Amino acid sequence: MKGTFFNKPLEWNIETVGESWQQGSNITGTLKVKNHGTETINLADAGVGLAYAEIKKIHARAEGALKLDATTAFEQKELKAGEEAQLSFSFTVGPNSPVTDKKASYYLAYGRQFNENHLQLKIDPKALYTKIVGLLDTFHRFKQKEFKASKKGVEFKLLPPTSRDMANIDSLLLTFSMDEDKLVMKYDFQVKKLDTSSVTTKINKENLSIEKLLAPKEYSLGKDMINQDTLLKSVEAVLSEVKLKNVY
């Protein structure tokens, strides 16, 4: 991914290794700056930073929209006429870092004071999470509607199947996060419940939360391999608590 920005007399060029990243990844690349002017330019506090921001504030060019998490500055503090400087950078997004969604995203902020220009980054959920959501689709027909960043990880909104035994499930929000090497799965169901306490029978909606904590051997069989059998047993144990009973 590349970006170019001119602020006379300086020309900035940024390039990353890769086009998208997952939670827990390293973002690496280079930033180059060239002085097309005739005078020496001060490069103090110039470089590239990893920043997080609300997308609408970026589009509105709101002051202070970019919130810097980390920065890498040029060691060279002056750039003479016709001279070019290059900076290599590497930033790590944590295992529970926010993913890119409709509201907010990570950016590379670069230039002087790390805010002259920016490049939006695409941060996707960990592959482990999308594979588990795939299991829910394949074996239980829960369909992914969307995902978004949550306070502690990433939240998937899933639409329940139309089967009779799950007819009481209105929606499911499944939030993934990591607690060191343990996988945390928080299920937030909205379920329909028949209220027969009044003269007129009505259906109420209630929230039911269930949390599961899985050790590495329970969710992984090694690099890029999930423990499908154990994960399915964990999912089925949760679903058994919300399914309609004795449905024929």
Side-chain angles (χ1 to χ4, degrees), residues 103-152:
K103 292 185 177 181
S105 177
Y106 271 112
Y107 292 82
L108 290 176
Y110 61 96
R112 286 175 286 189
Q113 281 73 54
F114 310 99
N115 68 356
E116 286 190 290
N117 204 26
H118 54 266
L119 191 66
Q120 185 175 357
L121 301 173
K122 186 175 185 292
I123 307 298
D124 293 320
K126 290 171 66 70
L128 170 65
Y129 303 162
T130 57
K131 288 178 180 179
I132 294 174
V133 170
L135 292 181
L136 276 159
D137 184 357
T138 301
F139 292 93
H140 298 285
R141 302 186 302 283
F142 279 84
K143 301 296 182 183
Q144 177 183 323
K145 184 176 181 181
E146 62 181 1
F147 65 80
K148 64 179 182 178
S150 68
K151 290 182 178 180
K152 293 185 178 181

Side-chain angles (χ1 to χ4, degrees), residues 2-42:
K2 298 179 180 180
T4 300
F5 172 66
F6 292 90
N7 189 359
K8 293 182 180 180
L10 297 181
E11 174 189 350
W12 300 87
N13 288 282
I14 191 168
E15 183 172 1
T16 63
V17 178
E19 298 288 330
S20 63
W21 299 264
Q22 294 178 354
Q23 292 172 301
S25 298
N26 291 323
I27 300 167
T28 60
T30 56
L31 175 65
K32 297 178 182 179
V33 58
K34 185 172 183 178
N35 183 1
H36 291 283
T38 57
E39 298 180 356
T40 298
I41 300 294
N42 184 5

Side-chain angles (χ1 to χ4, degrees), residues 65-119:
L66 290 163
K67 308 298 182 184
L68 289 168
D69 285 356
T71 59
T72 300
F74 284 98
E75 292 185 4
Q76 184 176 336
K77 301 305 179 185
E78 290 186 339
L79 195 64
K80 296 178 182 178
E83 193 173 16
E84 182 178 277
Q86 179 171 313
L87 173 67
S88 296
F89 61 85
S90 178
F91 299 113
T92 300
V93 290
N96 292 323
S97 66
V99 294
T100 301
D101 57 25
K102 296 177 182 178
K103 292 185 177 181
S105 177
Y106 271 112
Y107 292 82
L108 290 176
Y110 61 96
R112 286 175 286 189
Q113 281 73 54
F114 310 99
N115 68 356
E116 286 190 290
N117 204 26
H118 54 266
L119 191 66

